[in-house]
Amino acid sequence: MSVADGLQALRRLNADDLGFAQIDHHRAWRQAMPEVVYCEGKTVEQAAAILLRQAAVSTGPLLGTRANPALYDRIGHQGYDFEYVEEARLVVLRRGVPAPVGQVLAVSAGTADGPVLREAEVTAELMGAKVERLVDVGVAGLHRLLGHLDALYAARVVIVAAGMDGALPSVVAGLVDAPVIALPTSVGYGASLHGISALLTMLNSCAAGIGVVNIDNGFGAGYLAALINRGGVE
Amino acid sequence: MSVADGLQALRRLNADDLGFAQIDHHRAWRQAMPEVVYCEGKTVEQAAAILLRQAAVSTGPLLGTRANPALYDRIGHQGYDFEYVEEARLVVLRRGVPAPVGQVLAVSAGTADGPVLREAEVTAELMGAKVERLVDVGVAGLHRLLGHLDALYAARVVIVAAGMDGALPSVVAGLVDAPVIALPTSVGYGASLHGISALLTMLNSCAAGIGVVNIDNGFGAGYLAALINRGGVE
Amino acid sequence: MSVADGLQALRRLNADDLGFAQIDHHRAWRQAMPEVVYCEGKTVEQAAAILLRQAAVSTGPLLGTRANPALYDRIGHQGYDFEYVEEARLVVLRRGVPAPVGQVLAVSAGTADGPVLREAEVTAELMGAKVERLVDVGVAGLHRLLGHLDALYAARVVIVAAGMDGALPSVVAGLVDAPVIALPTSVGYGASLHGISALLTMLNSCAAGIGVVNIDNGFGAGYLAALINRGGVE
Amino acid sequence: MSVADGLQALRRLNADDLGFAQIDHHRAWRQAMPEVVYCEGKTVEQAAAILLRQAAVSTGPLLGTRANPALYDRIGHQGYDFEYVEEARLVVLRRGVPAPVGQVLAVSAGTADGPVLREAEVTAELMGAKVERLVDVGVAGLHRLLGHLDALYAARVVIVAAGMDGALPSVVAGLVDAPVIALPTSVGYGASLHGISALLTMLNSCAAGIGVVNIDNGFGAGYLAALINRGGVE
Amino acid sequence: MSVADGLQALRRLNADDLGFAQIDHHRAWRQAMPEVVYCEGKTVEQAAAILLRQAAVSTGPLLGTRANPALYDRIGHQGYDFEYVEEARLVVLRRGVPAPVGQVLAVSAGTADGPVLREAEVTAELMGAKVERLVDVGVAGLHRLLGHLDALYAARVVIVAAGMDGALPSVVAGLVDAPVIALPTSVGYGASLHGISALLTMLNSCAAGIGVVNIDNGFGAGYLAALINRGGVE
Amino acid sequence: MSVADGLQALRRLNADDLGFAQIDHHRAWRQAMPEVVYCEGKTVEQAAAILLRQAAVSTGPLLGTRANPALYDRIGHQGYDFEYVEEARLVVLRRGVPAPVGQVLAVSAGTADGPVLREAEVTAELMGAKVERLVDVGVAGLHRLLGHLDALYAARVVIVAAGMDGALPSVVAGLVDAPVIALPTSVGYGASLHGISALLTMLNSCAAGIGVVNIDNGFGAGYLAALINRGGVE
Amino acid sequence: MSVADGLQALRRLNADDLGFAQIDHHRAWRQAMPEVVYCEGKTVEQAAAILLRQAAVSTGPLLGTRANPALYDRIGHQGYDFEYVEEARLVVLRRGVPAPVGQVLAVSAGTADGPVLREAEVTAELMGAKVERLVDVGVAGLHRLLGHLDALYAARVVIVAAGMDGALPSVVAGLVDAPVIALPTSVGYGASLHGISALLTMLNSCAAGIGVVNIDNGFGAGYLAALINRGGVE
Amino acid sequence: MSVADGLQALRRLNADDLGFAQIDHHRAWRQAMPEVVYCEGKTVEQAAAILLRQAAVSTGPLLGTRANPALYDRIGHQGYDFEYVEEARLVVLRRGVPAPVGQVLAVSAGTADGPVLREAEVTAELMGAKVERLVDVGVAGLHRLLGHLDALYAARVVIVAAGMDGALPSVVAGLVDAPVIALPTSVGYGASLHGISALLTMLNSCAAGIGVVNIDNGFGAGYLAALINRGGVE
């Protein structure tokens, strides 16, 4: 393929310019992927304008991450069935979601990792993944995890959220043959360094088959899991 | 599944005790995965003993990472067809490797990322992946990358190795819908902090669909890629 | 030039002593540069006193950065046409601004980088630069950027603001031959380390022709851009 | 007890002044503890002089840590039965060692952690502890650890050495009720940061009952283990 | 012991599933240890549900750490004698606490270290340790410490809490032969880095016999102290 | 001097035990030094109790640092002439202050460094130093500094407070022959890392004759300056 | 300009594929810029092949940075007039260099910054800049700098190299109105952190008009200076 | 004093330009201070040229720090009585050294801190200070320090060198009323971070009266001590 052809391939793309933001619709149109807005750092007005524009132009699912309740108040009653997943601070428009396929297992080390894990779960579900969850099975009580080996073995991809020592992904990856997405959380204090400790643990895992995402990046973990899961069921 | 059943599932496992190391064969037996030895920090004697034991007991491929030439000298003529991939410091025994399937694309930002990328390629190949490569296409000269969009679109999973600014995975993940494995390298100087800069860039990518591995961890990237690739072709 | 002559050259300078601050007017007098007050860490009283003194003594533009609304309330109705640029937290007195010359292109990777970019734009404008903007064109969607190559090619200097992975300056510097001022922002979370990740990315850029300023230092980027732009149009 | 009495208690102490070093004998005299010399940063001459003085004045065991072979060459044939534990870089004089009591279990995650673990073992043995070892049982292959629960349950104190992800102490501490001494090693690369990653993991362990020592501080782990073990058998 | 036997040993364990948390009771049942809930990151509803379930199912002491007053309000009048230790942010149910044995000495360098030290004391007491305290005896005024040598000598284990320079554990460990648990606190400012400075000091202590816990981890220090203390009095 | 004599020398010391704090009076009694309380991390009750006890027992000056207004409200009307220096958050009781001698010059780079510098000035004054000040003379406008060479040359010791780049102490130390106390402040943003940048600059000064204190540690700088100043005038 | 047009603009570009490297010639062809090879991390064979290919295909200047003598040995006698600038580890082919214009002033704080500054000088010269130098004028002896104000005032752009405290760019930028490129070097020890201290100082400069490059990145500083200088003389 | 006068004061200064270095003689001429060359990063030729020029032009003491033996070989027999202090890597020309006055006490925590302490001692001696030393008196064995209280009390200024935990300056500053110069060394391993741990400890000292210098900066500590000592005896 020549550079000219490569450029030709990019030519189909077109951005929707709101002045303060450029919205891409092509990925959603092509692949029934959700359109996603990272709301932190945007004003409520900006985030609302983007989401409503997407709601009007696209027909697939929408996802606003790190959304505060004020955003939901602004867009909740504008003719679209937005819902607010408070625990995970998500604004979601569940429409055009593919029927769930495959198996993504979402695992957390502790209860406090729940909100981040939930963000991952919702993201993966919007992208058509069947998602199961297994929570509070950290390595300090191995029997909690070992009692669910069947769920671990059944997954096409496993998301493992953990803060503090971040040790759970290593243990899980040692048990399964599926890819493991390690999701560090900022749960902890002191030398946890707001999640840096868990992140480092996961990057240094002595078990193979692990890909790591940013601290508290439930969206990224869910998105990657859904991509892998989709590949596995095509 | 009860804890008892879970434990029962683990019971099949058995380690081969060399005194200074416990060798697992079960994964290799079950899945035609290579047995892998991380050689750094082990004496040549220790690494050689482990690899020769594996060569004798298993029938599949073997891989020794971060191996120096002295190790190869020790095991190269012991009746097994070990080869030494000098660029990537790998000792490899290519036997029982499955026929290549799927498509893993291995991409590097610069020539100096070559050895780490090679480690990833060999690893993925030993696990049965078909691997293509695209080198020296860093973001400072976008046209080099854009001339190979067809290769990018054809991949089931893409490995992207980059040092310095580590920006390439973000660009690649913005172009493809396949999972991207970001592989930071220690190429660079000064504020590259031996690869920490590239690692942080990749963790903070504004593109979705990226899983990150440790700095210079070509093995980990190749292993994860092969797992994902395998899922996509089953 | 001897030391004596050097000292002689400095002799013209004179500071205006407010007790808690020494105000320099010479640069403004000599070059129609704005006088600038960094307001953070100063009390409203201190910042107001400095700005009002400058307003009275100088005749050129004034700029108060990181100014809160209370400061504007204090000085907004004291006989000078101060305005408050809320988005960028600037207090501005637009008087004696030279007619805009040259071309500074202000680019942002995402909508959330807007306030920092705005600080850069206003600063450059006060110093006589013609400024254009191009927002939300981060590397995860290259076509957004590639659709504006003409704007990139037309600039005498380009400011590129980006948080998270901070990858955009590398891509831009690879496309243009003008100097690029990389402006990292604190947009992001987790391993973005409040902008450190973007900063490191920019310092390690594999593209040449980039100068980096402090995180969120829109003022510094705009000031440097205007200096370079001025040089290019003399 | 008054300050005067406190001072009186300290009065018995006396240091042996070599000019460049002050040697304490009182602890050895009182408690049959080994006298210990940290040899790094000392010249061979200095370390040799200290050890030979101790050999002459004391009657109990001596330990030189981080000792190079040149030191052993210097003191090996001076009339004392010094031995050199090459793997752990220790110079040891095993005399007056108490009969072994209690049970210290020394565990390592990988083969490369061996030298540091050995330093801990020898130290604890010199202080009268009975020591058992369990090596290469990292969390990536849990069955290797679970096959030795009896050894874990039998220990009065457990030392767990691990590099890379440093996850093993968390798992061990979740299985036993004895105190666990977490011993991070510098085994690893990239984001292991020369052992910082393992250290942080251990400090943030979600399991209780863990005390952490410095990276590669096998001596410190062994010393603390022996103190705890001794307390448990008095 | 075979793997099968090991698994058998784990089979007795059973977790109590609340949906968002898995509660272990076995350790409490077996050893009269307190059941502990780390409340930070959990909603008041979650923490309350866990504690009340534990209160109903177990018969021993309960401990909720990092608990806010709202949690106490929720569970304080539900039929159990919970108390709130405000200084240390603990919710405690003192029932079934063993008669105090041994001697744990809890020492602080300054008054501001008090809350963290209190967390350690209460934890150790709930686990059956006799605890004494010695506060505000930092190294800047040695005579304050030297006036209490008898208390130091009498302890089976010493907890030393210190922020800022974190130097006290080194001095204490040089005076006693008992194990010392170094407990860094986040007391300080500037280069104290929220306790990192004290933590590093303690890890690098030139005195032997020290195990370190996480910054502000009073619970962990108290728990480890009680384990060691128990070993010493069996 | 024997250890016994050394202990004897310490015997005169006596601490005043409040339960949560041990108060030393001996230094004040011996040297007319102020008694100092670091109030951060102490409750208002604790800080008030300590200061009032000192006020009652001692006859010299008292200083409470990092004191909030609530503390002053508590002790302001208890029969002692406490004053509150709001800018520097100090509670001060100026009694028994020696007549000012010597010359301490307190210099700041910017207006925002004022509060920290004030803390240093008040501290030095309470210890009997004559203090002059020179503010807002940062290196970006050298002429501001060069206009006060006479003040610089007249000082027995110079305190230099600076945030951001922290460059002023290097310049000052290059101009004077008196000792310079470098006082980094947390003024700045982004890569200033809350004062770490200024601190590092000062530690790495290419000028000799500089001693550095902790970030924002005005008290420490003033105390050290007064000690040095006192030595110079005895 | 549409995306299609943008792509069209990129179509002219073409890379020269060596298998392990993609060489761009277009920038050299278009602008008489040097082609540059970063040699570190490449084998001598790779670097030599790239440089020789460039020498054959292009007609302008070539620059190999971080080149060791072995590379020069390989290419020095292949028919091109390569020279080796040992101090700066540069391989240079000075052909087709434009006549020098403008004025770049290259300044160093100390003698040890010389090699990095030399790299900047040679780079700028190859790009057609007239370069003057001023060395060893660090801030600890201001008069050394103040004796050269005329050189400072005459520059269109100033490069300032400094290690240790990195304070010189702040002072220079306070004296001139031209853009200042701050070039931190790894000169120093201890808390200089291999140049991080100087880098931070420069990023936090209290003087405006400064752009910072990576530690020891003389090439980047020279390149940026030449771009700015060129703009100023067009 | 006006700016003009200030400049006049600087006019007397004159640098001696060697091409790669600017030598200041004025300080030596004015105050019998040694001229100092930091040799690291300079070639042997450069360092030799500077020292020989100084030897020829000045009449006072000379000091070359971080000098290797090759430098001494080059200048040792050129007609000046240079000596080489190998332990501290100093080249010294002891001429015109003032008669020793005052009392500087140089203290080290351990034997390995010796070379750095020696650098401080020689520096202070060259500047006319009477220096005493007290070595290997770290806080792990307090009685070693307490046996020398008389030496501590007699000093006008105390230098305290310590690596690892860096705790000794806090203890010393708590015992004396003289200024304490804390000199962190890179002695240690693991979490000592090449001296960062000791440095942080000293900056966070809970004792007042401490100024800190860079890691291993014996020269800086000695210089500052001599300045303070001189002030105290004028």
Side-chain angles (χ1 to χ4, degrees), chain A residues 3-14, chain G residues 3-14:
Chain A
V3 170
D5 293 337
L7 297 176
Q8 202 68 18
L10 281 175
R11 189 181 301 181
R12 294 190 315 269
L13 310 180
N14 214 345
Chain G
V3 170
D5 292 336
L7 296 176
Q8 202 68 17
L10 280 176
R11 190 181 302 182
R12 293 190 316 270
L13 312 179
N14 213 344

Side-chain angles (χ1 to χ4, degrees), chain D residues 3-14, chain F residues 3-14:
Chain D
V3 171
D5 292 337
L7 296 176
Q8 202 68 18
L10 281 175
R11 190 182 300 181
R12 292 190 317 269
L13 311 180
N14 214 345
Chain F
V3 171
D5 292 336
L7 297 175
Q8 202 68 18
L10 282 175
R11 190 182 301 183
R12 295 190 313 269
L13 310 180
N14 214 344

Side-chain angles (χ1 to χ4, degrees), chain G residues 63 65-66 85-90 94 104-126 131-138 145 152 157-163 168-169 172 180-187 202 213-223 225, chain H residues 19-22 41 46:
Chain G
L63 180 62
T65 65
R66 304 199 167 222
V85 184
E86 185 183 1
E87 180 192 12
R89 289 195 295 154
L90 297 175
R94 295 185 195 264
V104 171
L105 182 65
V107 182
S108 74
T111 301
D113 303 313
V116 173
L117 192 69
R118 181 66 75 197
E119 189 183 89
E121 294 170 34
V122 173
T123 301
E125 286 168 356
L126 284 184
V131 180
E132 297 228 339
R133 71 185 336 224
L134 183 54
V135 300
D136 196 22
V137 294
L145 181 69
L152 289 167
V157 55
V158 186
I159 299 169
V160 185
L168 188 56
V172 169
V180 171
I181 300 172
L183 172 52
T185 74
S186 54
V187 170
M202 295 172 183
V213 298
N214 194 2
I215 299 160
D216 290 337
N217 187 8
F219 162 71
Y223 192 100
Chain H
F20 53 84
Q22 314 271 352
Q46 291 174 329

Side-chain angles (χ1 to χ4, degrees), chain A residues 151-177:
Chain A
L152 288 168
Y153 290 164
R156 299 194 79 88
V157 54
V158 185
I159 299 168
V160 185
M164 294 182 165
D165 57 20
L168 188 56
S170 289
V171 170
V172 168
L175 293 172
V176 303
D177 295 320

